[in-house]
mmCIF file of all heavy atoms in Angstrom:
data_model
loop_
_atom_site.group_PDB
_atom_site.id
_atom_site.type_symbol
_atom_site.label_atom_id
_atom_site.label_comp_id
_atom_site.label_asym_id
_atom_site.label_seq_id
_atom_site.Cartn_x
_atom_site.Cartn_y
_atom_site.Cartn_z
ATOM 1 N N ASN A 627 -8.543 27.658 -14.085
ATOM 2 C CA ASN A 627 -8.977 26.302 -13.770
ATOM 3 C C ASN A 627 -9.240 26.091 -12.283
ATOM 4 O O ASN A 627 -9.433 24.995 -11.825
ATOM 5 C CB ASN A 627 -7.909 25.295 -14.231
ATOM 6 C CG ASN A 627 -7.793 25.262 -15.737
ATOM 7 O OD1 ASN A 627 -8.782 25.406 -16.448
ATOM 8 N ND2 ASN A 627 -6.569 25.105 -16.221
ATOM 9 N N VAL A 628 -9.210 27.181 -11.527
ATOM 10 C CA VAL A 628 -9.353 27.059 -10.079
ATOM 11 C C VAL A 628 -10.613 27.780 -9.613
ATOM 12 O O VAL A 628 -10.824 28.934 -9.930
ATOM 13 C CB VAL A 628 -8.124 27.649 -9.356
ATOM 14 C CG1 VAL A 628 -8.295 27.559 -7.846
ATOM 15 C CG2 VAL A 628 -6.873 26.910 -9.788
ATOM 16 N N GLN A 629 -11.417 27.075 -8.887
ATOM 17 C CA GLN A 629 -12.630 27.655 -8.348
ATOM 18 C C GLN A 629 -12.344 28.305 -7.019
ATOM 19 O O GLN A 629 -11.736 27.726 -6.133
ATOM 20 C CB GLN A 629 -13.693 26.567 -8.158
ATOM 21 C CG GLN A 629 -14.959 27.055 -7.488
ATOM 22 C CD GLN A 629 -15.977 25.960 -7.355
ATOM 23 O OE1 GLN A 629 -16.153 25.136 -8.249
ATOM 24 N NE2 GLN A 629 -16.645 25.927 -6.218
ATOM 25 N N VAL A 631 -13.179 29.550 -3.327
ATOM 26 C CA VAL A 631 -14.034 29.003 -2.301
ATOM 27 C C VAL A 631 -14.208 30.023 -1.175
ATOM 28 O O VAL A 631 -13.314 30.781 -0.882
ATOM 29 C CB VAL A 631 -13.466 27.689 -1.743
ATOM 30 C CG1 VAL A 631 -13.480 26.623 -2.796
ATOM 31 C CG2 VAL A 631 -12.054 27.884 -1.221
ATOM 32 N N ASN A 695 -9.546 31.229 -0.786
ATOM 33 C CA ASN A 695 -8.469 31.211 -1.756
ATOM 34 C C ASN A 695 -7.966 32.624 -1.985
ATOM 35 O O ASN A 695 -8.751 33.583 -1.945
ATOM 36 C CB ASN A 695 -8.952 30.650 -3.093
ATOM 37 C CG ASN A 695 -8.848 29.151 -3.189
ATOM 38 O OD1 ASN A 695 -8.100 28.542 -2.447
ATOM 39 N ND2 ASN A 695 -9.611 28.563 -4.093
ATOM 40 N N PRO A 914 -4.540 19.888 -11.795
ATOM 41 C CA PRO A 914 -5.001 19.681 -10.408
ATOM 42 C C PRO A 914 -5.658 18.321 -10.164
ATOM 43 O O PRO A 914 -5.683 17.854 -9.024
ATOM 44 C CB PRO A 914 -5.997 20.816 -10.199
ATOM 45 C CG PRO A 914 -5.519 21.893 -11.105
ATOM 46 C CD PRO A 914 -5.003 21.169 -12.329
ATOM 47 N N ARG A 915 -6.152 17.676 -11.205
ATOM 48 C CA ARG A 915 -6.823 16.386 -11.027
ATOM 49 C C ARG A 915 -5.850 15.250 -10.729
ATOM 50 O O ARG A 915 -6.278 14.137 -10.421
ATOM 51 C CB ARG A 915 -7.645 16.046 -12.275
ATOM 52 C CG ARG A 915 -6.819 15.699 -13.486
ATOM 53 C CD ARG A 915 -7.657 15.584 -14.751
ATOM 54 N NE ARG A 915 -8.608 14.482 -14.714
ATOM 55 C CZ ARG A 915 -8.311 13.231 -15.012
ATOM 56 N NH1 ARG A 915 -7.079 12.892 -15.371
ATOM 57 N NH2 ARG A 915 -9.246 12.293 -14.964
ATOM 58 N N ASN A 919 -5.990 16.385 -2.810
ATOM 59 C CA ASN A 919 -6.011 17.675 -2.157
ATOM 60 C C ASN A 919 -6.713 17.591 -0.808
ATOM 61 O O ASN A 919 -7.593 16.742 -0.623
ATOM 62 C CB ASN A 919 -6.763 18.674 -3.051
ATOM 63 C CG ASN A 919 -6.359 20.113 -2.806
ATOM 64 O OD1 ASN A 919 -5.249 20.494 -3.130
ATOM 65 N ND2 ASN A 919 -7.238 20.895 -2.228
ATOM 66 N N ARG A 934 -2.474 21.731 -0.269
ATOM 67 C CA ARG A 934 -2.987 22.228 -1.529
ATOM 68 C C ARG A 934 -2.048 21.749 -2.655
ATOM 69 O O ARG A 934 -1.529 22.506 -3.452
ATOM 70 C CB ARG A 934 -3.111 23.749 -1.506
ATOM 71 C CG ARG A 934 -4.211 24.215 -0.560
ATOM 72 C CD ARG A 934 -4.483 25.701 -0.633
ATOM 73 N NE ARG A 934 -5.693 26.021 0.153
ATOM 74 C CZ ARG A 934 -6.213 27.239 0.248
ATOM 75 N NH1 ARG A 934 -5.614 28.268 -0.356
ATOM 76 N NH2 ARG A 934 -7.312 27.446 0.961
ATOM 77 N N SER A 936 -2.524 19.843 -5.235
ATOM 78 C CA SER A 936 -2.958 19.845 -6.636
ATOM 79 C C SER A 936 -2.485 21.121 -7.341
ATOM 80 O O SER A 936 -1.968 21.074 -8.462
ATOM 81 C CB SER A 936 -4.475 19.735 -6.704
ATOM 82 O OG SER A 936 -4.897 18.513 -6.160
ATOM 83 N N ASP A 937 -2.664 22.269 -6.693
ATOM 84 C CA ASP A 937 -2.225 23.533 -7.305
ATOM 85 C C ASP A 937 -0.707 23.608 -7.336
ATOM 86 O O ASP A 937 -0.112 24.150 -8.272
ATOM 87 C CB ASP A 937 -2.789 24.696 -6.519
ATOM 88 C CG ASP A 937 -2.679 26.028 -7.273
ATOM 89 O OD1 ASP A 937 -2.627 25.985 -8.517
ATOM 90 O OD2 ASP A 937 -2.663 27.091 -6.639
ATOM 91 N N ARG A 950 -3.823 27.608 -4.136
ATOM 92 C CA ARG A 950 -5.288 27.644 -4.091
ATOM 93 C C ARG A 950 -5.853 26.242 -4.012
ATOM 94 O O ARG A 950 -5.216 25.272 -4.422
ATOM 95 C CB ARG A 950 -5.812 28.335 -5.365
ATOM 96 C CG ARG A 950 -5.209 29.710 -5.599
ATOM 97 C CD ARG A 950 -5.191 30.059 -7.066
ATOM 98 N NE ARG A 950 -4.346 29.160 -7.838
ATOM 99 C CZ ARG A 950 -4.147 29.258 -9.155
ATOM 100 N NH1 ARG A 950 -4.737 30.221 -9.823
ATOM 101 N NH2 ARG A 950 -3.371 28.394 -9.778
ATOM 102 N N SER A 951 -7.055 26.144 -3.499
ATOM 103 C CA SER A 951 -7.788 24.892 -3.471
ATOM 104 C C SER A 951 -8.642 24.809 -4.712
ATOM 105 O O SER A 951 -9.323 25.768 -5.078
ATOM 106 C CB SER A 951 -8.645 24.820 -2.205
ATOM 107 O OG SER A 951 -9.153 23.521 -2.026
ATOM 108 N N SER A 952 -8.598 23.678 -5.395
ATOM 109 C CA SER A 952 -9.212 23.542 -6.700
ATOM 110 C C SER A 952 -10.422 22.617 -6.683
ATOM 111 O O SER A 952 -10.415 21.575 -6.043
ATOM 112 C CB SER A 952 -8.185 22.979 -7.699
ATOM 113 O OG SER A 952 -8.796 22.618 -8.915
ATOM 114 N N ALA A 953 -11.473 23.033 -7.395
ATOM 115 C CA ALA A 953 -12.675 22.193 -7.498
ATOM 116 C C ALA A 953 -12.408 20.960 -8.364
ATOM 117 O O ALA A 953 -13.098 19.945 -8.265
ATOM 118 C CB ALA A 953 -13.814 23.002 -8.103
ATOM 119 N N GLU A 954 -11.403 21.050 -9.229
ATOM 120 C CA GLU A 954 -11.056 19.929 -10.123
ATOM 121 C C GLU A 954 -10.324 18.825 -9.403
ATOM 122 O O GLU A 954 -10.334 17.667 -9.836
ATOM 123 C CB GLU A 954 -10.207 20.472 -11.279
ATOM 124 C CG GLU A 954 -9.823 19.443 -12.320
ATOM 125 C CD GLU A 954 -8.882 20.000 -13.392
ATOM 126 O OE1 GLU A 954 -8.615 21.214 -13.373
ATOM 127 O OE2 GLU A 954 -8.407 19.193 -14.222
ATOM 128 N N ALA A 955 -9.665 19.153 -8.286
ATOM 129 C CA ALA A 955 -8.805 18.194 -7.598
ATOM 130 C C ALA A 955 -9.621 17.182 -6.804
ATOM 131 O O ALA A 955 -10.633 17.518 -6.190
ATOM 132 C CB ALA A 955 -7.848 18.918 -6.652
ATOM 133 N N PRO A 956 -9.184 15.910 -6.794
ATOM 134 C CA PRO A 956 -9.818 14.930 -5.908
ATOM 135 C C PRO A 956 -9.513 15.274 -4.451
ATOM 136 O O PRO A 956 -8.407 15.721 -4.136
ATOM 137 C CB PRO A 956 -9.166 13.600 -6.322
ATOM 138 C CG PRO A 956 -7.837 14.003 -6.874
ATOM 139 C CD PRO A 956 -8.048 15.338 -7.537
ATOM 140 N N GLN A 957 -10.485 15.083 -3.581
ATOM 141 C CA GLN A 957 -10.339 15.537 -2.189
ATOM 142 C C GLN A 957 -10.161 14.358 -1.237
ATOM 143 O O GLN A 957 -10.903 13.364 -1.309
ATOM 144 C CB GLN A 957 -11.590 16.322 -1.778
ATOM 145 C CG GLN A 957 -11.807 17.583 -2.600
ATOM 146 C CD GLN A 957 -10.699 18.605 -2.445
ATOM 147 O OE1 GLN A 957 -10.225 18.855 -1.326
ATOM 148 N NE2 GLN A 957 -10.293 19.233 -3.539
#
Side-chain angles (χ1 to χ4, degrees):
N627 294 323
V628 178
Q629 175 179 320
V631 293
N695 272 340
R915 70 189 296 275
N919 205 69
R934 291 187 171 182
S936 298
D937 195 25
R950 306 153 298 180
S951 191
S952 170
E954 183 184 354
Q957 299 296 318

